[in-house]
Amino acid sequence: MEKLTNKVAVITGGGSGIGLATAKEFIANGAKVVIFGRNQQALDEATRELGAMSYGIQGDVTNLTDLEKLYSETKSKFGGIDVVFVNVGQGKLAPIAETSETFFDEMVSVNLKGAYFSLQKAIAHLNPNASVIITTSWLNEIGFGGSSLLSASKAALRSVVRVASAELAPRGIRVNAVSPGPIGTPFWGKIGLPDKILQGAAEVITNQTALKRFGQPEEVAKAVLFLASTDASYITGHEIAVDGGINQI
Ligand SMILES: NC(=O)c1ccc[n+]([C@@H]2O[C@H](COP(=O)([O-])OP(=O)(O)OC[C@H]3O[C@@H](n4cnc5c(N)ncnc54)[C@H](OP(=O)(O)O)[C@@H]3O)[C@@H](O)[C@H]2O)c1
């Protein structure tokens, strides 16, 4: 049975990885889906793959005008919004001792400010009983060397989810987080580590998961679909981990 028939969904970072897998899952369940990202070519390729129920809007989450355009254009094209998946994030690493102010500002700007205003600018356009899902990370909860800004920005989003769930509950709007563990997406190629070190890190991380493998973006998408749908109608302010048990053993 389709779980999002006639629903309108917006996915930031919907052109690749977890966002794209979720767009596919939503469309397979009857939704119209707007995907948002910086790279027009990636959006064009994704919408070609996703088909007629998808629409791409180019922009940057760090630019508030782009975010206003994302939601106003979505509303003019499809009407009020039922699901927002606030999913953009980047995972560049640096030890605290070597973190520059520029690097700090970039990470906080994309991961925290970008997600915060992706949520804020959506609020006026949300239908009653809408669902918001924000992507956090398994790194919320552990001390993974080099990840201070990635971990701190995602932990801050975990907190924003709780506050937003309180503020939006009077409209029946639910706000939850999905917390991926290590997932095989283009994310890992962008963290700035040489291939050999990345491969070594991937082996160590794989061994730390209970299931001894990286997850697939489709496995996260299934959890996002659950949170987006009425199957999760009594769940708000929560975080669902899709992490192969990495933080449990
Ligand atoms: N993969 C993992 O192991 C893992 C684990 C824990 C959490 N996560 C989280 O999962 C989320 C999705 O990541 P992913 O693994 O699917 O990686 P991904 O394939 O790199 O997806 C990130 C998407 O965000 C877009 N994006 C990046 N910066 C942007 C900006 N400033 N404005 C607009 N769009 C932007 C990228 O497109 P453009 O470059 O075209 O803009 C891309 O489509 C992120 O929040 C990440 O922190 C991932």
Side-chain angles (χ1 to χ4, degrees):
M1 191 189 71
E2 290 184 349
K3 293 176 189 269
L4 297 177
T5 308
N6 295 326
K7 301 288 185 192
V8 175
V10 171
I11 301 178
T12 72
S16 66
I18 292 167
L20 180 58
T22 304
K24 287 180 192 160
E25 191 68 44
F26 281 7
I27 288 172
N29 279 274
K32 297 172 196 138
V33 175
V34 172
I35 58 171
F36 180 78
R38 292 168 302 183
N39 183 323
Q40 185 65 53
Q41 199 186 331
L43 290 176
D44 290 343
E45 281 167 19
T47 49
R48 256 198 305 278
E49 192 181 344
L50 292 167
M53 299 298 268
S54 70
Y55 185 68
I57 297 179
Q58 192 269 336
D60 190 318
V61 290
T62 65
N63 182 324
L64 272 54
T65 309
D66 287 355
L67 290 172
E68 281 159 8
K69 187 180 115 209
L70 164 65
Y71 296 117
S72 58
E73 211 174 311
T74 299
K75 198 158 185 181
S76 336
K77 190 163 172 63
F78 291 133
I81 299 166
D82 301 292
V83 180
V84 179
F85 183 29
V86 175
N87 170 64
V88 164
Q90 66 175 32
K92 292 182 191 166
L93 302 177
I96 296 170
E98 290 164 28
T99 291
S100 66
E101 186 180 4
T102 310
F103 180 70
F104 180 100
D105 288 345
E106 181 194 329
M107 285 298 292
V108 171
S109 180
V110 174
N111 282 12
L112 178 55
K113 179 185 167 190
Y116 188 93
F117 284 101
S118 298
L119 164 67
Q120 188 212 58
K121 297 295 176 191
I123 288 173
H125 302 281
L126 293 175
N127 284 334
N129 306 316
S131 173
V132 178
I133 303 101
I134 298 183
T135 308
T136 57
S137 171
W138 103 92
L139 296 172
N140 279 0
E141 294 174 39
I142 58 163
F144 186 87
S147 79
S148 62
L149 293 172
L150 173 57
S151 298
S153 58
K154 295 296 194 177
L157 290 180
R158 174 68 189 93
S159 180
V160 168
V161 163
R162 288 195 177 93
V163 176
S165 68
E167 292 184 2
L168 298 179
R171 290 165 59 192
I173 296 168
R174 296 177 296 104
V175 185
N176 291 289
V178 66
S179 176
I183 307 296
T185 73
F187 178 90
W188 290 89
K190 302 174 193 170
I191 62 178
L193 291 177
D195 277 357
K196 211 167 165 199
I197 294 180
L198 192 61
Q199 225 172 343
E203 276 167 30
V204 171
I205 291 168
T206 300
N207 270 322
Q208 287 171 344
T209 66
L211 298 177
K212 303 294 175 218
R213 65 176 177 86
F214 268 48
Q216 297 302 312
E218 293 75 17
E219 294 176 292
V220 183
K222 297 267 186 209
V224 181
L225 173 67
F226 168 69
L227 290 171
S229 76
T230 54
D231 286 352
S233 56
Y234 200 50
I235 300 178
T236 194
H238 227 289
E239 181 179 58
I240 292 189
V242 184
D243 67 356
I246 193 164
N247 279 355
Q248 306 305 323
I249 57 158

